[in-house]
Amino acid sequence: MIEARRITKFFSVVNAHQIAAGVTAVLSASLTIEDGQFISLVGASGCGKSTFLEILAGLQAPTDGEVYIDGKLVLEPLPSTRREMDAYREKYRFLSPIANGLIRDNPKHDIAMIFQDYAVFPWMTVQQNVLFTLELRGVPRAERAPLAQRYLQQVGLLGSEDKYPSQLSGGMRQRLALARALSVEPKIILMDEPFAAVDAITREKLQDDLLRLWQDTGRTIVMVTHDLDEALYLSDAIVVFSPLPGTIRNRLPVEVPRPRRRDSAELAELRARIQAIYHYDMHGESEYVG
Amino acid sequence: MRAVNTSPPAGHQVSRASSPHEYHARGWNLVWREVAAFTTGAFGSLVTREFLTIAVPLLLLWELLPRLGVVPKTLVPPLTTVAASAWDLVQHGHLAQHIVASLKRLAIGLSLALLLAFPLGVLMGWNPYLRKHLLPLFQLLAPIPPPAWVPITIIVLGVGWRMQTFLIFLGAFYPILFNTYQGVKDTDPRYLASARVFGASEWTLIRAVYIPHALGSVVMGIKIGIAMALVMLVIAEMYGTQIGVGRLLSESKEYFRIERMVVCMAILGALGWFLIEIMKYLEAKLALWRVGR
Ligand SMILES: Nc1ncnc2c1ncn2[C@@H]1O[C@H](COP(=O)(O)OP(=O)(O)OP(=O)(O)O)[C@@H](O)[C@H]1O
Ligand SMILES: [Mg+2]
């Protein structure tokens, strides 16, 4: 279970005129995700979805609030007083709070993440990328190669093992990122706009693959997307973020039985509701009822 | 399978195996193919038609201008005189020994610099805590021009191989250090984050993310280091040795043997060119992944 309690993230930035400015990317967002759920986060561009996801993954410390995964605190929030801040700095002066330790590989939580721009390693071949995460998971050397083959086959990348990511298409890179995430057999997969760079037909295929995989393995999936239809088709619930500062505007359960049809009337109705929320947030007009 | 389109920017070609059979060549076969690939790569850019149209007229001018009396022959020895002098040095002047001695000094100085500067650069790039302790020291010391170290080095280490090694080391140290440091520090945080979610420890990050990411700038640092090491070689060999190309050069100056000076200059240039070609070749081999872009 993922529990995010009143997460706030503030970035202090210096703008081009050397004037300090601040951005509140996420403001007091609370969210509980049960095991095995498929949740989508939607919202306008730049409203803090990626930031929120990285906080869930423990890659950024929230300014305020805590994330618990299965009851375990992910990262302590940044201290608020100067005294506490000094103590925090002293404590983490050598290793940053998000480090996993000095020598031994060891994931802190059972999470895999697929980044908005995939972040597969360009200096490793497709196969080496997957072998690397298997190594981090502690799979004995002899078993890695066959396992890697299996995950690559799952995403349909067999035959491209020896290519470098720069030689792949956007969609193939995407699938490599997916294979890499699956290879660690995580309980939770966080995905940041995973299907943004592929054409509509491939996207539908990948969505169906993902859906099957989710139903077969019972993993928790949290996905950020801009594609409302994708969110509606896949998820158990859709979390709508408001524009900056990103707060959780609504959490809409999608109670349409599976298997779903992409063009079903229920989904279309939900879609209209979400769009009404968007419209209201953008223009401040109250078209939104219920 | 690995038919990568390898055309690195510097205009040299690295031919790569295309069939799996060839790719798995082992032993002498492999060595032979690597050497062949290196040679075509290194000399390929010299014997292109484009470059020859520049080089041949220049060489002809070099030969003809002094011969025709346009420039004084005593000050600018023609190409053939220089070549004859080189041949003479090979036969009677132990030229090979001079070159070997200089190469040895270079190799020791450069290796020491690499062995020390590379880990230090990685450590400073990786960890802000270490960086804050160490970087200011090097930033203060680096601007001292390496030749300015000569007098004090001679006094402290005496004239001899230790002083020569140290001076060459000093020339190569800072370029390698700062380029490694910068390359490691500039590692894209997204790659670090993506390795961290999967549980990578800091050591794994250094090994599998920081260093591969920084490789390009490390090689760049070594190239600059080689150039600086050559400068320091010439200076270092002015003192306390009877053998070495730099020594030969300053000796020729004392005896006013201009054609010998030119031979030495050509050898030093060729040494630098050759070492840098080796680095380019390694770079193309190691950073294969960049090539496809
Ligand atoms: N490291 C940072 N420093 C300063 N500001 C940041 C930083 N990261 C994000 N921001 C700001 O936080 C806000 C939210 O960014 P985020 O990347 O989370 O948006 P997003 O919802 O994922 O957008 P998109 O849908 O376009 O990917 C943006 O306004 C951005 O400018
Ligand atoms: Mg984003």
Side-chain angles (χ1 to χ4, degrees):
Chain A
M1 191 168 77
I2 309 176
E3 274 180 278
R5 297 191 193 151
R6 301 180 64 80
I7 298 292
T8 297
K9 180 73 188 184
F10 179 79
F11 289 109
S12 41
V13 283
V14 179
N15 68 13
H17 307 292
Q18 299 295 313
I19 295 166
V23 185
T24 308
V26 182
L27 183 63
S28 195
S30 302
L31 184 63
T32 305
I33 299 169
E34 301 290 341
D35 281 344
Q37 277 192 320
F38 196 130
I39 302 288
S40 293
L41 311 182
V42 300
S45 182
C47 71
K49 302 179 301 289
S50 298
T51 309
F52 186 68
L53 215 58
E54 288 195 8
I55 291 173
L56 291 188
L59 290 171
Q60 293 194 27
T63 315
D64 196 20
E66 299 101 33
V67 178
Y68 291 90
I69 289 178
D70 295 332
K72 250 172 74 186
L73 183 66
V74 170
L75 273 185
E76 59 181 292
L78 294 170
S80 45
T81 69
R82 171 165 289 190
R83 276 258 309 285
E84 285 168 359
M85 194 66 200
D86 289 342
Y88 181 89
R89 286 229 178 86
E90 179 66 17
K91 183 174 166 195
Y92 291 113
R93 69 185 186 281
F94 188 67
L95 282 188
S96 98
I98 60 170
N100 284 312
L102 198 55
I103 305 289
R104 289 198 39 195
D105 299 325
N106 181 25
K108 283 193 249 175
H109 300 277
D110 234 351
I111 287 189
M113 180 156 174
I114 298 177
F115 291 79
Q116 192 160 1
D117 38 16
Y118 315 141
V120 291
F121 301 127
W123 54 87
M124 297 182 185
T125 62
V126 167
Q127 181 168 36
Q128 285 165 350
N129 262 291
V130 179
L131 289 177
F132 179 62
T133 45
L134 288 173
E135 181 192 332
L136 293 180
R137 202 180 106 194
V139 176
R141 187 178 290 272
E143 295 165 27
R144 283 179 212 155
L147 261 181
Q149 291 290 322
R150 220 188 72 203
Y151 291 110
L152 287 175
Q153 191 230 327
Q154 257 182 41
V155 297
L157 271 182
L158 279 188
S160 305
E161 295 99 323
D162 289 335
K163 286 191 178 148
Y164 286 90
S166 58
Q167 300 160 337
L168 300 178
S169 71
M172 287 161 93
R173 260 200 294 273
Q174 196 299 303
R175 281 181 276 159
L176 172 57
L178 184 61
R180 195 171 71 158
L182 294 178
S183 73
V184 295
E185 298 283 344
K187 269 177 59 188
I188 299 165
I189 305 183
L190 308 177
M191 307 175 132
D192 199 347
E193 296 183 33
F195 306 133
V198 293
D199 67 278
I201 296 171
T202 316
R203 189 181 310 163
E204 292 196 354
K205 186 183 167 301
L206 288 171
Q207 288 167 359
D208 287 327
D209 290 350
L210 181 65
L211 206 54
R212 200 168 326 114
L213 198 122
W214 172 67
Q215 281 164 339
D216 291 349
T217 55
R219 300 209 167 94
T220 311
I221 296 185
V222 184
M223 177 166 89
V224 171
T225 177
H226 278 296
D227 184 343
L228 279 184
D229 293 321
E230 173 174 284
L232 289 162
Y233 180 64
L234 294 173
S235 16
D236 293 327
I238 298 179
V239 174
V240 185
F241 273 69
S242 69
L244 219 61
T247 53
I248 292 181
R249 185 73 172 67
N250 279 63
R251 177 182 173 139
L252 298 150
V254 185
E255 279 154 350
V256 181
R258 299 170 194 271
R260 293 176 185 163
R261 286 171 39 129
R262 287 175 197 275
D263 53 1
S264 82
E266 291 131 298
L267 292 186
E269 192 197 314
L270 263 173
R271 187 179 208 286
R273 272 179 64 190
I274 296 173
Q275 269 172 338
I277 296 175
Y278 270 18
H279 192 82
Y280 177 80
D281 280 340
M282 295 280 182
H283 307 290
E285 295 165 17
S286 181
E287 260 178 57
Y288 170 57
V289 273
Chain B
M1 213 173 243
R2 252 206 194 182
V4 183
N5 173 25
T6 37
S7 40
H12 70 185
Q13 298 266 313
V14 184
S15 59
R16 201 157 299 284
S18 50
S19 82
H21 169 70
E22 266 183 295
Y23 179 68
H24 289 297
R26 287 272 180 277
W28 283 111
N29 238 345
L30 186 70
V31 172
W32 166 239
R33 226 208 3 260
E34 293 297 320
V35 169
F38 169 72
T39 319
T40 29
F43 291 95
S45 62
L46 295 187
V47 288
T48 60
R49 201 159 58 140
E50 290 83 351
F51 181 62
L52 286 181
T53 56
I54 301 288
V56 172
L58 277 180
L59 290 175
L60 275 178
L61 279 182
W62 183 3
E63 178 66 27
L64 291 179
L65 289 185
R67 292 243 178 257
L68 298 174
V70 184
V71 293
K73 218 166 148 181
T74 43
L75 291 183
V76 183
L79 176 61
T80 41
T81 316
V82 172
S85 159
W87 182 238
D88 181 56
L89 273 172
V90 173
Q91 285 194 309
H92 311 292
H94 310 292
L95 185 62
Q97 281 173 31
H98 285 291
I99 295 178
V100 169
S102 290
L103 267 180
K104 255 193 215 159
R105 287 185 188 118
L106 267 183
I108 298 175
L110 275 173
S111 316
L112 278 180
L114 188 63
L115 282 179
L116 210 68
F118 178 72
L120 262 174
V122 171
L123 284 178
M124 291 197 309
W126 159 65
N127 192 296
Y129 185 71
L130 295 177
R131 180 185 317 153
K132 281 186 212 146
H133 282 80
L134 296 175
L135 188 60
L137 178 70
F138 295 117
Q139 280 172 336
L140 285 177
L141 290 178
I144 302 172
W149 282 84
V150 172
I152 198 160
T153 310
I154 289 180
I155 291 171
V156 174
L157 296 178
V159 282
W161 66 272
R162 280 187 297 171
M163 157 252 178
Q164 288 148 4
T165 311
F166 177 74
L167 288 177
I168 294 170
F169 160 84
L170 205 64
F173 180 75
Y174 291 112
I176 300 180
L177 180 78
F178 286 121
N179 278 281
T180 307
Y181 155 69
Q182 202 64 43
V184 171
K185 183 170 164 259
D186 289 346
T187 302
D188 196 326
R190 285 164 29 244
Y191 296 133
L192 298 174
S194 78
R196 278 199 175 113
V197 227
F198 295 118
S201 67
E202 293 299 297
W203 164 242
T204 306
L205 285 181
I206 291 178
R207 179 173 60 79
V209 182
Y210 282 112
I211 291 181
H213 198 278
L215 222 55
S217 51
V218 175
V219 172
M220 174 54 82
I222 297 177
K223 281 188 202 163
I224 305 173
I226 288 172
M228 284 306 296
L230 276 169
V231 172
M232 296 312 289
L233 175 81
V234 174
I235 296 178
E237 286 187 343
M238 286 178 180
Y239 311 94
T241 179
Q242 294 307 315
I243 188 161
V245 182
R247 173 73 227 167
L248 200 60
L249 178 67
S250 36
E251 215 172 72
S252 316
K253 183 190 130 221
E254 272 149 41
Y255 296 113
F256 208 70
R257 305 277 304 262
I258 294 186
E259 73 286 354
R260 275 200 177 181
M261 286 155 61
V262 177
V263 172
C264 291
M265 286 163 64
I267 291 172
L268 288 168
L271 265 182
W273 173 82
F274 189 70
L275 291 176
I276 287 185
E277 282 302 322
I278 291 180
M279 292 317 296
K280 277 195 203 161
Y281 182 69
L282 283 181
E283 190 177 20
K285 276 226 86 94
L286 293 173
L288 237 189
W289 57 276
R290 278 184 205 281
V291 171
R293 283 191 179 164

